[in-house]
Amino acid sequence: MKRFILLFTAALFLFPVASQSAPKNKKKDSHVVVAVPEVEAKVIAIETEGVQWLLNVDKFGVLRCYHFGKKISDPAQFRDFTCYRTRHGIEKYGDAAMAYPTVGGRYNNEPALHVKYANGDHNTELYYTGHTVSEKDGVVTTEISLKDYVSLLEVSLVFEAWQKENVIISHSEIKNAGKKSVELLEYASSFMPVRAEKYLLTHFWGHWGYEMNVEHELLGHDRKVIETRIGVSATKLNNPSFMLSLDTEEFSERNGEVIAGALAWSGNFKLCFDRNINCLNISAGINPFASAYKLAAGETFVTPDMIWTWSGNGAGQASRNLHAWARKDGVYGGGSVNPTLLNSWEGAYFNFNAATLIGMIDDAADMGLEMFVLDDGWFGNGEYARNDDKAGLGDWELNTAKLPEGIDYIASHAHDKGLKFGIWIEPEMVNPKSNLANNHPDWVVRSAGREIYTGRNQWLLDLSNPAVQDFVYGVFDRTMQLSDKIDYIKWDCNRVVNSFGSDWQADQDRFFVEYVQGYYKVLRRIREKYPKTIIQCCSSGGSRVDYGQLAFHNEVWASDNTDAVSRSNIQYGTSLIYPASIMGSHVSIVPNHQTKSTTPLKFRFDMACTGRLGMELQPKDLNAEERAFADQCIKAYKQYRDLVFNGDLYRLVAPEEGRYSLMYVSPDKRRAVVFIFKLDYESREIHRTLKLDGLAPGLRYKVNELNAKKSSWWGNDDSWTGDFLMNGGFNPHFYHRYDSSVFYLEAE
Ligand code: DGJ
């Protein structure tokens, strides 16, 4: 230490102080402070029929948020809300509850926005410059303009308030209004400061065949990040959605305040929960991992939508809000009923010819199903014939050795039998063993000079490249030309991004973001030409379950795991955020191909009927009694499926309790269907009461158990009031593991 002081003193003699005080390359006037105009403090209320998001503009022009939740009568009362002493004692209200905080200025925590300017500066401070409000078809849109007076960067925060659904969708638009390009290092769609004493975070994790496990976690004073960096199949491990229960340590379906959020993005995402001394800051957006986004002068970056809701009545209401919005806006074709189907995959895999398919179609028609879907294996020729998963992806011509009769022959047979027809594609992928890989190595996602790893023997095509976008669009378009009787496309995607890089991109940092934008561009083109085609988003099962792709797809394949016990978990988790109408849910053969477990056919059917019912087996493997039972279940499903697709979901018991129960109620509360599944064995002498939910207390419902020789409830086939059923009168009894029941309720 002493030596340092000596050296420093010597330096003072050698170099006059004045010449040392101005750092190199900096002009002397660099500390002239740019004036920020003061504004009139105000509250901007973004509200629906039951939810309010209040944004305060303070007198310095900083946008803050002190309330998201129950509607209060006079929002202006929040205008002078104060947080007393600010953190670190920073003046001008410091960083209290900033609505879209940026790196720099008074803010030190996880930001919504981090910009690096051409001169190396990392500071951005956004100030309110104005806002507009407009209304159309029950949606009020508020756009708040913010500006950094030094860099001239502009940010627009856009909020769509869905009045009846109680959902608020928000995103940001970041404009580089300066003269030099800037780098976006963080660029969240949305940010929300929440103030409570306890925060219980519910989020989703999983893997292939094990998707959407629900995890509840009490947040400490720390930063919790939920993210993915796998680029595509992005929801395989985590889902870009969550629920947050406030002031409680217990997740409740019916009680307490819950905030739910879901990001509409099908690629790398990041949800950050940053708990500090006075609040929890939630930021949600594209994951900037390897994706610093350079914004040229004049360019605007539009972030994806973040969908928010709030419930004062537990998680159940939060889900119902999201589902109601999804049916209206979030899901393509939401609100319509998708057909029941037989899918060829588990029944035939790659081993089929026209006779196999015709046989399956005939059986599907006999059982009362409404569509047949030809899965993988119909394309590729010669050495690249798709007879297993090792070759053929990319070569989307009909496999003439396997199906010389052509697709139209199969599709026409389906139509003749009264069925719709669907077909599988996986257009973003290529097997190294394919003509496409030979002809277009430059289209493959890869890092120059490095090995391109395969996953399921396949590589990923670089959808950030417009030529690949045209190709992928062309695969869909050409497949549709194979027959004019194609009603449904199953779009698969079976690997994640590795060795990422693009031959086409000049700036590799754009790859991850532009891949997803490219995917959406293709889907937009497809929807322009094929508005009526039903499209399923499949990605090794449920690896692409998000509201980004759902704007273009009618449904998802919730998991490759068709075991009904596993499905109780997967579909329960999915239902927290996404509606039942999107969940492709199939009855398969036992022992189950994924888990090797055996469950009764009734249990498998009852579970599949909680979503969009399908079958995924060779019908010839069912005996006559099983076939008759299948007919009966399919018929019964058609009687109540409008409730599954468009009713309100009430979750009654979560699978972690060894039982699983849920019900769907019609909007007018006159009809309902209740599902109950026994997942674990417990003493026969336990008599549990199931409190139904969502019924009208004063209505009398005729209760009718479906698909059962003997009812599990003493009160079956009689009429009961809603309040009796909801308050302790309903106690069906189960003896065995994998017993299940479906009750249909109709008001008299
Ligand atoms: C994975 C999907 O999830 C399955 O349903 C099936 O379509 C296979 N791919 C086909 O390769």
Side-chain angles (χ1 to χ4, degrees):
M1 184 57 152
K2 268 186 191 157
R3 205 162 43 147
F4 170 73
I5 292 168
L6 279 176
L7 280 174
F8 183 66
T9 318
L12 283 180
F13 280 111
L14 289 172
F15 303 103
V17 172
S19 67
Q20 286 296 296
S21 60
K24 266 188 192 167
N25 304 328
K26 281 228 170 172
K27 287 189 190 143
K28 281 190 186 156
D29 65 352
S30 66
H31 288 294
V32 173
V33 172
V34 176
V36 175
E38 285 207 356
V39 294
E40 195 191 329
K42 59 165 88 65
V43 172
I44 304 170
I46 291 153
E47 45 193 18
T48 66
E49 285 180 2
V51 179
Q52 215 168 36
W53 189 344
L54 301 184
L55 293 155
N56 284 38
V57 181
D58 69 26
K59 66 176 177 176
F60 305 109
V62 175
L63 194 68
R64 303 182 191 266
C65 166
Y66 295 120
H67 182 70
F68 179 78
K70 194 179 175 69
K71 253 178 129 168
I72 52 153
S73 53
D74 177 10
Q77 295 173 97
F78 266 101
R79 194 194 56 203
D80 300 322
F81 185 92
T82 180
C83 282
Y84 308 105
R85 225 189 119 83
T86 64
R87 266 201 316 160
H88 315 302
I90 303 296
E91 61 177 322
K92 293 188 169 180
Y93 309 144
D95 65 358
M98 291 173 81
Y100 194 75
T102 50
V103 162
R106 67 201 80 185
Y107 191 76
N108 308 96
N109 285 305
E110 184 72 13
L113 180 68
H114 181 180
V115 186
K116 186 176 175 195
Y117 296 97
N119 63 0
D121 186 17
H122 284 261
N123 287 261
T124 300
E125 289 181 279
L126 295 174
Y127 294 97
Y128 170 85
T129 57
H131 75 278
T132 59
V133 181
S134 58
E135 200 268 335
K136 197 179 169 214
D137 302 333
V139 184
V140 177
T141 303
T142 306
E143 205 165 328
I144 303 177
S145 305
L146 307 170
K147 176 177 174 173
D148 179 288
Y149 283 89
V150 176
S151 68
L152 305 183
L153 189 97
E154 291 169 6
V155 173
S156 234
L157 301 181
V158 184
F159 302 84
E160 274 180 22
W162 287 72
Q163 299 301 296
K164 293 223 165 322
E165 296 72 20
N166 289 319
V167 159
I168 300 177
I169 301 178
S170 104
H171 76 268
S172 61
E173 300 184 5
I174 304 155
K175 180 174 178 189
N176 177 7
K179 291 202 169 65
K180 294 186 178 157
S181 84
V182 303
E183 241 181 300
L184 305 184
L185 302 179
E186 291 271 355
Y187 35 101
S189 292
S190 192
F191 193 92
M192 177 164 322
V194 183
R195 289 173 301 130
E197 294 301 315
K198 285 177 186 163
Y199 307 95
L200 181 74
L201 176 67
T202 301
H203 60 102
F204 310 93
W205 67 279
H207 213 287
W208 176 82
Y210 194 52
E211 297 88 345
M212 291 300 275
N213 291 286
V214 174
E215 190 155 272
H216 305 293
E217 204 176 322
L218 208 53
L219 294 177
H221 289 83
D222 204 348
R223 196 168 289 166
K224 164 91 189 167
V225 175
I226 298 167
E227 62 167 357
T228 185
R229 298 177 176 205
I230 56 178
V232 299
S233 294
T235 69
K236 184 187 293 239
L237 311 177
N238 297 299
N239 197 271
S241 62
F242 68 91
M243 282 193 177
L244 188 74
S245 308
L246 304 182
D247 293 317
T248 179
E249 295 188 9
E250 269 183 35
F251 180 79
S252 167
E253 282 292 338
R254 304 185 194 207
N255 301 312
E257 280 195 78
V258 174
I259 292 173
L263 184 74
W265 185 247
S266 311
N268 291 342
F269 66 85
K270 181 175 159 193
L271 303 175
C272 181
F273 302 84
D274 188 15
R275 186 174 180 186
N276 63 51
I277 190 164
N278 286 317
C279 67
L280 174 76
N281 288 329
I282 308 172
S283 61
I286 294 176
N287 193 336
F289 163 73
S291 301
Y293 199 92
K294 285 174 204 71
L295 209 55
E299 204 183 343
T300 300
F301 185 80
V302 179
T303 63
D305 283 338
M306 178 68 187
I307 299 120
W308 299 96
T309 191
W310 171 88
S311 153
N313 301 312
Q317 188 59 51
S319 298
R320 287 188 289 281
N321 293 351
L322 292 175
H323 298 169
W325 163 78
R327 285 194 289 269
K328 213 162 183 185
D329 183 54
V331 175
Y332 191 88
S336 49
V337 168
N338 295 326
T340 56
L341 61 88
L342 174 68
N343 181 294
S344 69
W345 181 240
E346 286 196 21
Y349 291 108
F350 294 103
N351 309 317
F352 56 81
N353 55 24
T356 326
L357 304 181
I358 297 294
M360 288 177 118
I361 289 169
D362 291 347
D363 287 333
D366 281 356
M367 288 189 289
L369 293 169
E370 296 156 313
M371 181 157 69
F372 175 73
V373 179
L374 169 56
D375 211 286
D376 198 352
W378 59 266
F379 52 92
N381 281 292
E383 57 175 322
Y384 300 142
R386 182 79 172 163
N387 293 324
D388 54 32
D389 62 14
K390 296 189 175 56
L393 280 179
D395 298 351
W396 296 99
E397 307 88 36
L398 176 76
N399 182 330
T400 47
K402 210 187 246 183
L403 288 177
E405 302 84 350
I407 295 298
D408 188 56
Y409 172 78
I410 310 291
S412 298
H413 185 75
H415 274 219
D416 290 348
K417 284 279 177 175
L419 300 187
K420 293 184 187 299
F421 178 78
I423 192 164
W424 178 97
I425 54 174
E426 195 181 5
E428 295 155 88
M429 302 287 164
V430 58
N431 283 123
K433 288 187 186 166
S434 67
N435 291 314
L436 183 71
N438 297 337
N439 296 338
H440 283 289
D442 54 317
W443 282 4
V444 175
V445 170
R446 60 183 184 176
S447 153
R450 295 178 203 283
E451 185 179 347
I452 323 171
Y453 301 110
T454 52
R456 205 197 188 209
N457 309 302
Q458 63 199 56
W459 290 330
L460 183 68
L461 294 177
D462 173 13
L463 208 46
S464 77
N465 179 343
V468 177
Q469 292 163 20
D470 285 344
F471 171 79
V472 170
Y473 170 80
V475 172
F476 191 104
D477 196 31
R478 280 193 305 279
T479 304
M480 290 298 290
Q481 311 312 319
L482 293 172
S483 165
D484 61 358
K485 299 179 187 70
I486 296 179
D487 306 290
Y488 175 103
I489 293 276
K490 174 176 176 177
W491 178 313
D492 209 343
C493 171
N494 282 300
R495 64 158 300 160
V496 303
V497 178
N498 296 110
S499 308
F500 60 91
S502 160
D503 277 13
W504 182 80
Q505 290 282 357
D507 174 4
Q508 296 297 311
D509 284 351
R510 288 215 167 187
F511 166 73
F512 277 117
V513 172
E514 291 196 358
Y515 187 101
V516 182
Q517 289 173 336
Y519 173 55
Y520 294 157
K521 268 186 209 159
V522 172
L523 289 168
R524 212 164 285 128
R525 269 174 86 184
I526 287 171
R527 277 315 187 185
E528 270 162 29
K529 185 158 178 192
Y530 300 104
K532 294 215 172 98
T533 308
I534 304 168
I535 312 180
Q536 181 190 71
C537 180
C538 171
S539 179
S540 309
S543 298
R544 236 182 198 170
V545 180
D546 64 77
Y547 280 120
Q549 57 77 12
L550 277 169
F552 305 98
H553 292 92
N554 304 72
E555 61 172 34
V556 302
W557 177 221
S559 177
D560 269 354
N561 187 342
T562 54
D563 184 315
V565 177
S566 308
R567 277 294 182 129
S568 66
N569 253 320
I570 294 165
Q571 296 184 186
Y572 163 75
T574 308
S575 83
L576 263 62
I577 306 292
Y578 305 96
S581 58
I582 68 153
M583 286 185 236
S585 175
H586 296 179
V587 175
S588 59
I589 211 72
V590 286
N592 180 270
H593 289 189
Q594 291 78 39
T595 64
K596 301 290 172 226
S597 311
T598 296
T599 49
L601 186 60
K602 173 169 166 53
F603 185 85
R604 282 176 275 151
F605 254 107
D606 289 350
M607 189 65 71
C609 286
T610 65
R612 193 273 293 132
L613 171 67
M615 294 182 80
E616 181 137 351
L617 43 68
Q618 168 54 273
K620 305 230 174 316
D621 292 339
L622 299 177
N623 62 34
E625 195 187 336
E626 290 170 327
R627 278 286 289 265
F629 183 69
D631 295 1
Q632 184 189 337
C633 293
I634 294 164
K635 196 165 165 219
Y637 177 74
K638 289 178 185 166
Q639 175 192 353
Y640 62 74
R641 67 171 157 188
D642 61 305
L643 302 175
V644 177
F645 276 80
N646 288 316
D648 288 323
L649 167 69
Y650 291 84
R651 289 177 296 261
L652 305 176
V653 187
E656 64 188 17
E657 292 180 37
R659 294 167 297 138
Y660 176 42
S661 181
L662 65 161
M663 63 189 284
Y664 299 98
V665 183
S666 64
D668 65 4
K669 299 194 176 292
R670 296 195 63 82
R671 292 164 64 233
V673 58
V674 182
F675 296 88
I676 310 158
F677 302 92
K678 189 96 182 82
L679 301 172
D680 284 337
Y681 176 75
E682 54 186 1
S683 165
R684 292 174 209 185
E685 280 144 44
I686 289 185
H687 305 277
R688 291 190 186 277
T689 296
L690 191 63
K691 290 187 176 166
L692 299 190
D693 204 353
L695 301 174
L699 281 180
R700 250 195 132 80
Y701 295 88
K702 177 87 200 284
V703 178
N704 177 16
E705 181 164 1
L706 305 173
N707 312 332
K709 284 192 192 121
K710 183 171 175 289
S711 178
S712 55
W713 188 42
W714 56 266
N716 188 50
D717 218 10
D718 210 338
S719 302
W720 307 95
T721 58
D723 59 354
F724 173 81
L725 295 167
M726 293 193 289
N727 292 296
F730 188 60
N731 64 340
H733 194 42
F734 297 97
Y735 287 91
H736 307 115
R737 175 180 283 158
Y738 307 146
D739 279 349
S740 61
S741 292
V742 183
F743 287 92
Y744 179 66
L745 277 57
E746 189 155 15
E748 289 179 335

